[in-house]
Amino acid sequence: MFIILIPFLLFTGGVAFISWWYTRKTKMAHSSIGYFLGGRDLSAILIVASLLLTNLSTEHLVGLNGSAYAFGMEVMAWETLAAVALVLMAVYFLPRYLKMGLVTITEFLELRYDKQTRMICSTLFLLLYITTLLPIVLYTGAITMESIFNVSENLNIDKFTAMVVMVVGIGVMGSIYAILGGLKAVAISDLINGIGLIIGGSLIPILAFYKIGDGNFLTGVHTVFEAVPDRFNAVGESTSDLPFPVLFTGMFIPQIFYWTMNQSIIQRALAAKNLAEGQKGVLLTAFFKIFVPFIVVVPGIIAYYYFKNSLNDPDYAYPELVKSVLPIGGIGIFAAIVVGAILSTFNGALNSASTLFSIDIYKGYLKKDATETQIVKFGKKSGTVMALVSMAIAPFISMAGKGLYIILQEFSSIFNMPIFAIIIAGLLLPKVSAKAAKIGLISGTILYLFSKFGLEAMEVKIHFLHRLAVAFFVTILTLVIASKYYPRENNFVIKDTGTVNVENWKYLKPASICIIILTIIVFIVFSPLGIIPNR
């Protein structure tokens, strides 16, 4: 136990010390721009590290590998198609966001519609973070820690109590980063943990293939592939977790929303020192996302072969594989890396939630004349409260059932889809009005809730991404029709605030085209047209 615990504590403590050291003298955390956007001074390297680590956490390592254990390579679409959404972010969305000098995505909604629309969407975002994203990150992190450290057994307590202990521990550590250090401290810790996650995460499937091949990597790959070839097919069947047709219907909604509109993600790009740095960081993230399935999907397939499909809960596939292939000392270091990924997603989302709460609600409604210092102080206090609420919810996530990653996507869409619809309409449909936006938010939410719970009650089985696509297009139609009755007085025009240099990166187009082509090639390779035989 101590052989695992000591390297874990040393690595985790080292990351905390380095983050503190590099931010100890900065005064940026006393201003809202400094605290929430790192002083708009992030380079491409810090942006890509922070984007990847805010995104990649145990809901991927545990949840997505669990889905791969249950269904196979088809779930890689959740990661690989993110590259396309990131290209859209770099080419279309980021230039407009930086031109407007946005701190939050909800600022755009006030500029485009009105203050009430901004308030409604801020509330939806906060509900998303507090009830879904943050608790699931904490819960999957606790699953990993329980599997690696056997906390319940070593402390002689039941598993639920152990879950509570670990959720609180992880939540407190993540809160310290986000609440005390602001975005700059988060970004620095993300860079260190990001390097560790890429290296450590890649080692797990590599070592597993070596072990299966008795010391020969290629033999291990061949053995697993020959034993379960259908698991390497990225084209999902109609009965699978991710049937192939949904890639052309509802999949674009969570992908584009997450990478171009989700505050916890775009906040990193909004903190870029200029547009070129932001575009480089976003496109480099896109390149990495194409290959991330090697870390968050392939281990689940290996576990399916290695454990002979004997695990009762697919969400334990990844941590059990880690324990099986790593030496004892290495388990401690990898556990620290996993905790780093957990903290990065948790503290990143918490920082974004406190940003929305402080700027949109506190300064927007509660105290309009608030000073910069008061905004930051309120951000820290609200972040503390939201962290506590998330910690209280997290231990009960297990009651939601198996397939945590799909649960996260499906329930997130309750909040995401209507916001996505009015942002897209705000950018592409100049005649959509503020009243129409509010009607769309309400009707879109009700429509998706009906498609989720109403159709299920009637035992109508339609994949949630198909339902999501229908709900989105109906919401857009509602926005257009409502605007006929409540027209906008004048067209919205994006104005350059001069906040940062918004000149495009000179290699933007060729880099974007290469990423799109590479994404298509990866899907062809892992399909019946490529190396995978027909079923």
Side-chain angles (χ1 to χ4, degrees):
M1 177 67 179
F2 286 104
I3 297 177
I4 298 175
L5 192 59
I6 290 172
F8 169 80
L9 293 174
L10 287 174
F11 189 93
T12 303
V15 172
F17 176 78
I18 293 170
S19 298
W20 167 79
W21 181 265
Y22 280 98
T23 58
R24 74 193 190 285
K25 294 182 179 180
T26 181
K27 295 183 180 180
M28 289 192 302
H30 297 296
S31 70
S32 58
I33 295 298
Y35 184 75
F36 297 122
L37 288 184
R40 292 192 192 275
D41 193 41
L42 296 192
S43 64
I45 296 298
L46 283 178
I47 290 170
V48 67
S50 199
L51 281 173
L52 283 174
L53 263 290
T54 299
N55 168 241
L56 291 178
S57 190
T58 43
E59 81 270 17
H60 291 81
L61 293 174
V62 172
L64 203 53
N65 271 309
S67 293
Y69 177 92
F71 297 100
M73 199 73 180
E74 62 214 46
V75 300
M76 82 171 192
W78 287 114
E79 293 300 296
T80 307
L81 287 182
V84 179
L86 282 160
V87 168
L88 288 175
M89 176 62 172
V91 173
Y92 182 79
F93 291 93
L94 187 58
R96 286 158 178 77
Y97 292 162
L98 292 184
K99 192 174 183 180
M100 289 184 280
L102 301 183
V103 176
T104 66
I105 185 63
T106 52
E107 277 186 84
F108 167 73
L109 293 171
E110 181 173 352
L111 290 170
R112 175 60 179 83
Y113 298 112
D114 59 18
K115 198 168 186 176
Q116 289 73 33
T117 305
R118 176 179 183 174
M119 178 67 175
I120 294 170
C121 290
S122 293
T123 303
L124 290 174
F125 269 121
L126 289 169
L127 286 172
L128 166 65
Y129 292 143
I130 297 170
T131 64
T132 307
L133 178 59
L134 291 174
I136 284 183
V137 169
L138 291 175
Y139 175 72
T140 52
I143 285 179
T144 305
M145 294 299 100
E146 167 65 19
S147 180
I148 290 176
F149 291 110
N150 295 318
V151 176
S152 57
E153 183 179 325
N154 285 301
L155 296 182
N156 195 27
I157 55 178
D158 62 87
K159 286 200 171 186
F160 182 81
T161 304
M163 189 72 63
V164 172
V165 170
M166 289 179 289
V167 161
V168 171
I170 295 168
V172 168
M173 284 191 291
S175 301
I176 290 172
Y177 276 111
I179 295 169
L180 298 183
L183 186 64
K184 195 65 177 271
V186 171
I188 291 172
S189 65
D190 285 349
L191 177 60
I192 303 167
N193 287 317
I195 295 171
L197 182 64
I198 296 299
I199 296 173
S202 299
L203 277 176
I204 299 304
I206 290 172
L207 292 176
F209 281 131
Y210 266 107
K211 186 171 184 178
I212 293 170
D214 293 325
N216 188 301
F217 175 79
L218 293 178
T219 299
V221 173
H222 180 76
T223 300
V224 175
F225 179 78
E226 287 297 314
V228 288
D230 59 318
R231 293 275 152 172
F232 289 90
N233 193 339
V235 179
E237 295 180 339
S238 59
T239 57
S240 73
D241 198 37
L242 200 69
F244 191 66
V246 302
L247 272 60
F248 306 97
T249 58
M251 175 62 84
F252 77 93
I253 297 173
Q255 291 285 10
I256 297 176
F257 175 86
Y258 184 85
W259 292 105
T260 70
M261 302 172 193
N262 188 330
Q263 179 66 29
S264 67
I265 288 296
I266 69 166
Q267 192 163 330
R268 279 90 188 109
L270 295 179
K273 60 178 64 177
N274 54 55
L275 176 59
E277 284 296 303
Q279 289 172 327
K280 284 188 284 186
V282 168
L283 290 177
L284 188 56
T285 304
F287 176 78
F288 280 118
K289 288 296 287 183
I290 295 172
F291 301 101
V292 160
F294 186 68
I295 297 174
V296 300
V297 175
V298 172
I301 298 173
I302 297 173
Y304 177 85
Y305 165 82
Y306 193 85
F307 298 113
K308 310 302 180 186
N309 195 24
S310 62
L311 298 178
N312 293 325
D313 189 345
D315 290 322
Y316 277 86
Y318 188 74
E320 289 298 319
L321 184 68
V322 169
K323 286 201 304 182
S324 298
V325 302
L326 282 181
I328 294 178
I331 293 175
I333 296 174
F334 188 74
I337 292 171
V338 171
V339 167
I342 299 165
L343 296 181
S344 294
T345 300
F346 182 80
N347 59 31
L350 189 60
N351 181 270
S352 297
S354 62
T355 302
L356 291 170
F357 212 113
S358 302
I359 295 177
D360 291 3
I361 297 176
Y362 178 66
K363 184 173 176 57
Y365 281 91
L366 301 180
K367 192 174 177 61
K368 296 180 180 179
D369 59 346
T371 64
E372 291 289 288
T373 301
Q374 288 174 325
I375 293 171
V376 172
K377 284 183 178 179
F378 184 83
K380 293 179 179 181
K381 290 178 182 178
S382 62
T384 302
V385 173
M386 287 185 283
L388 291 173
V389 173
S390 299
M391 284 185 249
I393 295 173
F396 301 97
I397 293 292
S398 59
M399 298 178 183
K402 299 179 182 180
L404 289 174
Y405 194 79
I406 297 300
I407 291 173
L408 174 62
Q409 296 298 333
E410 188 161 4
F411 278 88
S412 294
S413 296
I414 297 172
F415 311 104
N416 294 349
M417 188 281 292
I419 298 176
F420 177 76
I422 67 167
I423 293 177
I424 288 295
L427 289 168
L428 300 179
L429 303 174
K431 293 184 179 180
V432 172
S433 65
K435 286 187 178 180
K438 296 184 190 67
I439 293 171
L441 282 171
I442 296 169
S443 62
T445 302
I446 293 173
L447 179 61
Y448 181 77
L449 286 172
F450 173 76
S451 75
K452 162 64 180 168
F453 299 105
L455 293 182
E456 285 184 1
M458 294 185 289
E459 297 185 353
V460 177
K461 295 182 179 180
I462 303 174
H463 195 280
F464 91 92
L465 287 174
H466 288 318
R467 291 187 274 110
L468 187 62
V470 173
F472 168 73
F473 286 113
V474 172
T475 302
I476 291 291
L477 183 61
T478 302
L479 291 170
V480 173
I481 294 173
S483 295
K484 297 288 185 182
Y485 294 95
Y486 304 102
R488 182 182 173 90
E489 292 182 2
N490 47 47
N491 290 339
F492 173 71
V493 178
I494 294 176
K495 297 179 181 179
D496 190 350
T497 61
T499 306
V500 296
N501 186 331
V502 290
E503 184 178 350
N504 282 321
W505 181 40
K506 62 180 179 179
Y507 298 115
L508 175 65
K509 289 184 179 179
S512 299
I513 292 170
C514 287
I515 289 170
I516 297 295
I517 292 173
L518 190 57
T519 302
I520 294 171
I521 290 172
V522 168
F523 268 99
I524 291 175
V525 168
F526 290 100
S527 75
L529 298 176
I531 63 171
I532 309 304
N534 287 304
R535 296 183 180 184

